[in-house]
Amino acid sequence: PSRGSRRAAASAQAVLAVDFSRDSELLVSGSQGGTIKVWRVRTGQCVRRFPKAHGQGVTCVAFSRDATQVASGSFDALVRIHGLKSGKALKEMRGHGSYVNDVAFSPDGGRLVSGSSDGTVRVWDPRTCECVAECLSLSISSLTDESFSMYVSLAAMYASGW
């Protein structure tokens, strides 16, 4: 497809979040309408679609290290893990009291961290969906997007045993 047609297909709903796979072959996007799409970067082809990934806008997405799963957060305060092979939501984590702003897998894939507008950063076991730690309680008013992302990254490193 031409560049213009790729752009039109990608922008049918406002895109709120994007992430590259580790090898940069795939791109995942999350939309205001609650849809997640996975794209092959080289061709611009949508290779997987999760039309009802969340009931509200998808605010963040992250590939697992092996790019077989995508974690997502949303305005619905939920964190979900989606399987690229199955095309289904595999896991759901509840506990945040407000929007989920960022998600990240630990480098070894053994933990998933999420940060929320409720001022918390939670560390999850993606196999059991249990919250294994609430690392930080932050003052929302003092956070910028950059500092929030830094806190989430630090929590992911902490969760991996760094």
Side-chain angles (χ1 to χ4, degrees):
S2 71
R3 281 194 158 180
S5 65
R6 275 188 256 158
R7 184 175 300 128
S11 63
Q13 298 177 348
V15 174
L16 304 179
V18 292
D19 188 40
F20 275 108
S21 61
R22 185 179 164 111
D23 63 6
S24 299
E25 295 289 321
L26 299 174
L27 177 78
V28 61
S29 63
S31 77
Q32 189 169 5
T35 298
I36 292 174
K37 294 180 182 178
V38 178
W39 307 87
R40 188 162 317 285
V41 174
R42 189 173 303 149
T43 64
Q45 176 187 11
C46 181
V47 296
R48 176 60 72 194
R49 191 170 191 267
F50 300 89
K52 302 261 188 230
H54 286 274
Q56 296 180 29
V58 177
T59 55
C60 51
V61 288
F63 274 106
S64 61
R65 181 180 174 96
D66 63 2
T68 61
Q69 298 178 338
V70 170
S72 63
S74 171
F75 288 127
D76 62 14
L78 299 174
V79 175
R80 291 190 172 143
I81 298 175
H82 313 269
L84 266 61
K85 205 173 216 179
S86 70
K88 297 181 181 181
L90 304 175
K91 306 280 182 167
E92 180 177 281
M93 284 136 280
R94 296 174 176 263
H96 285 298
S98 188
Y99 310 146
V100 178
N101 297 312
D102 206 357
V103 292
F105 283 98
S106 61
D108 68 359
R111 294 287 184 255
L112 178 65
V113 65
S114 59
S116 170
S117 289
D118 66 6
T120 62
V121 174
R122 294 178 179 263
V123 180
W124 307 91
D125 180 330
R127 291 174 295 279
T128 65
C129 298
E130 289 183 62
C131 180
V132 296
E134 187 173 322
C135 295
L136 305 167
S137 182
L138 306 170
S139 168
I140 301 302
S141 61
S142 66
L143 286 180
T144 63
D145 288 342
E146 186 176 306
S147 65
F148 188 83
S149 292
M150 180 191 70
Y151 279 116
V152 171
S153 297
L154 288 172
M157 288 188 294
Y158 166 80
S160 68
W162 177 74

